[in-house]
Amino acid sequence: MLVEKPLLLANQKIIIDRSPGEIRVAVIKNGRLANLFLERSNKPWLRGAVILARITAIRKELGASFLDLGNASGYIENRKPAKPIEGASIVVQVLTDPHRNKSARVSSNICVEGNYLNLYPTAERSSISRKIKSKKKRGLIKQFIADNIPNNMGVHINYSFDVSDLDLMKATAFQQIANWKNLNEKIVSSRSPSTLIPSAGAVGFAITKYPEAKVYDGTNGELFDQYDLEFEISSAVDRKVLLGDGAQLVFDEAEALTAIDIDVGSSRTPRSGLDSLVAHLAKEIIWQIRLRDIAGLIFVDFPRFRDSNIKENFLKVLQTCAQYEELSLIIHGWTRTGLLEITRPRNGSSLKELLVGTVEDDTPALETAALTALRCLVKETAGVAYPEIVCSTSLKRTINGNFEKVLRDISRKLGSTIFITEDGEMAKDEFLIRNRIK
C-alpha cells in the first residue's frame, strides 16, 4: 500500500480565550481543534519556568533528588559527577507540570527561549532546526554560532532564524546572553526557593510551539463560541470517537496506561477499501493522542485481519503521521498478544484529567463547571441588579473555595453582589444564571 503523506497543515490559528479564573488556548489546524492548553488561576503553569530551588531530599535508590520549587515540589535525576547536598540551592528549569500526586520533572540544563534561537547557557552543544534544508544557510549559521556564541554555551537555531539579517540575529543573541549574565547576578542575592524566570504560560507555550499560526485574542468565550470550539472540546474527552465510515476508536485512560481499541465491526467499508480505512484510523489515532495529550504507555488493539499486510500498513502510516506531525512518541511494535505498544513523554496531565478528572477525584470536573458558570455570569448579567448562580452544594463549595478571588473580581466589575443559591435537586456540575429578583 502506498503510504499517503498527510496534508500540509499550513492553515493554523491560535484562539485565546481570557475568562474569569482561566486562560484557554486552542490551536486549530485546517478548521479542526488540534490542541488545547489550559491555565487556571488556582493552578498556574510551571512548565518552562527557571527556578532557584532548594534540595529537600536525596534518594540514592531512585537516582534522584527532590526539590522545593516554591508552589510545588519537583524532582531531578542525579547525574555524575554532580553530588547534590540536602538543603543546598540549585538552578533548574521545569520540564513538566506536576501530574496527579507526582512531582514536577526539572532539569539543570537551562533553555532560554527566543524567537530566532534558544540559548543553553549550561551546555556546550549546538544544533540547527532540521527544517532548514539549504546547505548554504546551514553553513552561514554554523559560522554565526562560531563567531557569536561563547564556547561554554550551547544554542539551538530555530526555523525562523533570518540569515539575510545577521546583524539582527547577532543583537538578539547578545541580548539573550546578557540577560543570562544578569540573571546569574540575581541568583547571588536570591534565596531558594524563588522564581528567576516565570513560565510563559499557556499562551507563550502555544505561540512558541506554533510560530506560524495566526493569533486571535478574545474574552469570556466569545471566540470559542464563534469557532464552535466548545463542542469540539466536549468531544475531545468523550470515550468514543466515531469515524464517518462506521468505524470507531475507544479510548480508556488509566493511571498506568491508555488503551485504544479499534472497532471496525460496524464499518461499511468494502474489503477493497480497507487500505484507505486503515490509513484513516492511523491518522485519527495520531490526531487524538496529540489533542487529548495522552502520554506514558499506550496500547492499541488492532483488529485481527487475515491479511497480515493490513496490520503492517497500519503501522507504516502511523509512523509516517507521527513523524510528519512532529509528535514525540516511540512506536515499539507489536507485542506477542498482538497489541501495538507506544510510549510518549509526559508533560503533565492529559486533557481529560484537566477537564474531567478521574474516578477517584472529580475535582477538575467541578472546577470546569465552576469556571463555565463564572464565564456565563459575566456574559449574561450585564445590567442585572442582583445576579444569582443556582447550583449544587458541591459546585457552590468549589466556586467559593477554589475561585473566591475570581468571584470577588467579577462582583467588583459588575458593581453588584453575586448570590449563590444551593439546589439539592441539581446535578453536581449543573447551574443556572438568573436575576435574584423576578
Side-chain angles (χ1 to χ4, degrees):
M1 179 185 79
L2 178 64
V3 178
E4 276 187 36
K5 198 171 187 179
L7 292 173
L8 180 63
L9 296 173
N11 184 13
Q12 300 178 353
K13 296 178 182 178
I14 293 175
I15 312 298
I16 302 170
D17 175 48
R18 303 178 191 272
S19 296
E22 181 180 48
I23 297 174
R24 298 183 296 171
V25 184
V27 178
I28 299 175
K29 291 186 175 185
N30 291 338
R32 187 181 178 193
L33 181 63
N35 269 125
L36 180 67
F37 306 111
L38 302 175
E39 184 175 357
R40 292 177 170 173
S41 60
N42 63 326
K43 296 175 184 176
W45 268 46
L46 285 176
R47 195 185 318 177
V50 178
I51 297 174
L52 180 63
R54 182 170 56 86
I55 300 175
T56 56
I58 300 169
R59 299 289 298 274
K60 291 184 179 180
E61 71 277 14
L62 299 177
S65 296
F66 287 87
L67 314 173
D68 180 3
L69 304 178
N71 294 326
S73 62
Y75 77 92
I76 184 172
E77 295 179 6
N78 296 333
R79 299 183 182 276
K80 295 180 180 180
K83 293 184 178 180
I85 301 173
E86 192 168 320
S89 298
I90 179 175
V91 178
V92 297
Q93 187 164 37
V94 181
L95 301 179
T96 68
D97 286 303
H99 170 65
R100 295 192 178 183
N101 295 323
K102 297 179 181 178
S103 301
R105 184 165 61 91
V106 305
S107 171
S108 58
N109 185 18
I110 311 299
C111 173
V112 181
E113 293 186 343
N115 292 332
Y116 305 108
L117 57 90
N118 297 336
L119 184 69
Y120 291 87
T122 59
E124 298 180 7
R125 291 184 298 176
S126 295
S127 58
I128 302 172
S129 171
R130 289 181 294 178
K131 292 182 179 180
I132 300 176
K133 305 292 185 182
S134 169
K135 290 183 178 180
K136 182 178 179 180
K137 285 185 178 180
R138 295 182 75 89
L140 290 170
I141 291 171
K142 288 178 181 178
Q143 188 59 50
F144 172 87
I145 294 173
D147 294 342
N148 299 288
I149 305 300
N151 292 332
N152 63 340
M153 292 187 178
V155 69
H156 174 75
I157 302 299
N158 297 330
Y159 180 64
S160 56
F161 190 92
D162 188 358
V163 294
S164 67
D165 194 350
L166 290 178
D167 287 339
L168 175 61
M169 300 300 102
K170 181 177 179 180
T172 300
F174 281 6
Q175 184 60 56
Q176 286 179 251
I177 293 170
N179 290 343
W180 175 252
K181 290 181 178 178
N182 292 336
L183 192 66
N184 270 327
E185 295 176 2
K186 179 182 177 182
I187 291 171
V188 176
S189 58
S190 298
R191 297 179 61 182
S192 60
S194 60
T195 300
L196 304 174
I197 302 177
S199 170
V203 174
F205 182 80
I207 291 174
T208 301
K209 187 175 179 66
Y210 299 99
E212 299 175 7
K214 294 181 180 179
V215 180
Y216 302 86
D217 210 325
T219 59
N220 301 323
E222 293 174 356
L223 286 180
F224 272 47
D225 290 341
Q226 182 179 326
Y227 285 92
D228 199 21
L229 288 172
E230 301 293 356
F231 173 77
E232 290 203 59
I233 293 170
S234 177
S235 299
V237 295
D238 280 348
R239 183 168 174 260
K240 295 182 179 180
V241 176
L242 301 178
L243 305 182
D245 46 23
Q248 66 179 8
L249 301 173
V250 182
F251 292 82
D252 287 309
E253 293 185 42
E255 187 168 1
L257 59 87
T258 297
I260 305 175
D261 180 59
I262 300 175
D263 182 5
V264 296
S266 302
S267 175
R268 300 180 297 274
T269 303
R271 187 174 182 81
S272 59
L274 282 178
D275 283 350
S276 61
L277 172 62
V278 165
H280 188 188
L281 290 167
K283 293 175 185 177
E284 188 62 27
I285 285 173
I286 293 298
W287 189 283
Q288 292 293 332
I289 287 176
R290 179 189 56 212
L291 172 59
R292 295 166 182 254
D293 207 3
I294 296 171
L297 183 60
I298 305 168
F299 283 115
V300 180
D301 189 0
F302 191 78
R304 272 61 169 173
F305 290 107
R306 289 183 180 180
D307 187 352
S308 61
N309 289 328
I310 295 175
K311 185 168 74 171
E312 294 309 315
N313 288 336
F314 168 79
L315 180 58
K316 289 178 182 178
V317 179
L318 200 73
Q319 291 169 330
T320 301
C321 291
Q323 183 179 10
Y324 192 80
E325 296 283 358
E326 297 183 341
L327 197 64
S328 296
L329 51 78
I330 301 173
I331 301 175
H332 299 279
W334 303 100
T335 67
R336 290 184 178 181
T337 56
L339 301 175
L340 181 62
E341 182 179 352
I342 302 171
T343 54
R344 182 175 180 232
R346 192 180 298 280
N347 292 319
S349 300
S350 70
L351 187 61
K352 184 177 180 181
E353 288 171 331
L354 289 172
L355 291 174
V356 180
T358 63
V359 175
E360 298 83 10
D361 181 16
D362 65 348
T363 302
L366 286 169
E367 290 180 345
T368 299
L371 290 167
T372 303
L374 294 176
R375 187 164 56 247
C376 292
L377 184 69
V378 174
K379 291 168 63 177
E380 299 175 12
T381 58
V384 173
Y386 303 100
E388 180 182 28
I389 302 175
V390 183
C391 62
S392 66
T393 303
S394 299
L395 192 54
K396 178 181 179 179
R397 189 184 304 119
T398 302
I399 295 173
N400 285 330
N402 298 11
F403 304 106
E404 181 185 6
K405 183 178 181 300
V406 177
L407 190 64
R408 288 201 308 266
D409 290 342
I410 295 174
S411 180
R412 187 173 61 254
K413 289 177 181 178
L414 294 177
S416 58
T417 301
I418 298 168
F419 299 90
I420 304 181
T421 303
E422 298 177 20
D423 186 335
E425 296 184 359
M426 281 188 162
K428 279 187 176 183
D429 57 353
E430 189 179 358
F431 65 87
L432 172 67
I433 306 294
R434 68 184 183 188
N435 189 351
R436 187 176 177 86
I437 298 179
K438 296 290 186 178

